Amino acid sequence: MRRSADVMERARRWAGNLKRDVVALWIAARDPRTPWYAKAAAGIVAAYALSPIDLIPDFIPILGYLDELFILPVGIALTVRFIPADLMAEFRRTAASRERRPYSTIAAVVVVSIWMLALSALAHLAYQYAL
């Protein structure tokens, strides 16, 4: 029983660190001291993570959680490597002190646009196939 409690505590801590790092990346994307390539990567990862709409909806079995369990943590880990360690430590402290998480309306619009384009393409193919 103790071992499962330790595993759950580590998972909670890992998830909390990911949430903090997403906010830290959002801050890094707006900071002029961040290199341009790190800003671009941080902006993309943070916008996707903070979007209220997922690219792969969670109700899709297995694939729905793929972005939260694999894609997003890998994107965060790679992007953190682009940012100088002293800056990232500062951004993490700032992120940890924030009371509210930001959100990305632009990312939500992009995700909805991608889904609309995909649905339009499928409708077009279905129409062509029906003829």
Side-chain angles (χ1 to χ4, degrees):
M1 185 70 169
R2 176 76 179 136
R3 184 166 165 81
S4 64
D6 289 343
V7 170
M8 289 302 295
E9 180 57 33
R10 280 192 304 201
R12 270 192 217 102
R13 208 171 26 244
W14 180 74
N17 288 340
L18 280 180
K19 287 179 182 181
R20 181 208 59 213
D21 281 356
V22 165
V23 176
L25 291 178
W26 180 79
I27 294 166
R30 287 157 179 73
D31 193 287
R33 298 171 294 167
T34 304
W36 69 268
Y37 52 90
K39 274 187 183 194
I44 291 168
V45 170
Y48 180 74
L50 297 172
S51 171
I53 302 171
D54 284 344
L55 186 59
I56 305 170
D58 291 341
F59 64 81
I60 297 174
I62 300 170
L63 291 177
Y65 292 105
L66 184 65
D67 60 342
E68 283 95 356
L69 294 176
F70 181 72
I71 297 170
L72 201 52
V74 169
I76 291 168
L78 290 174
T79 303
V80 165
R81 290 180 177 210
F82 294 153
I83 300 170
D86 57 331
L87 279 179
M88 193 61 202
E90 178 186 330
F91 298 148
R92 283 177 170 147
R93 283 190 301 274
T94 304
S97 68
R98 286 179 152 262
E99 290 185 26
R100 292 187 323 142
R101 248 176 69 149
Y103 62 93
S104 177
T105 306
I106 293 170
V109 169
V110 169
V111 169
V112 168
S113 298
I114 290 170
W115 275 106
M116 296 302 289
L117 285 170
L119 289 173
S120 297
L122 284 174
H124 178 71
L125 287 172
Y127 178 74
Q128 292 296 329
Y129 184 71
L131 292 179

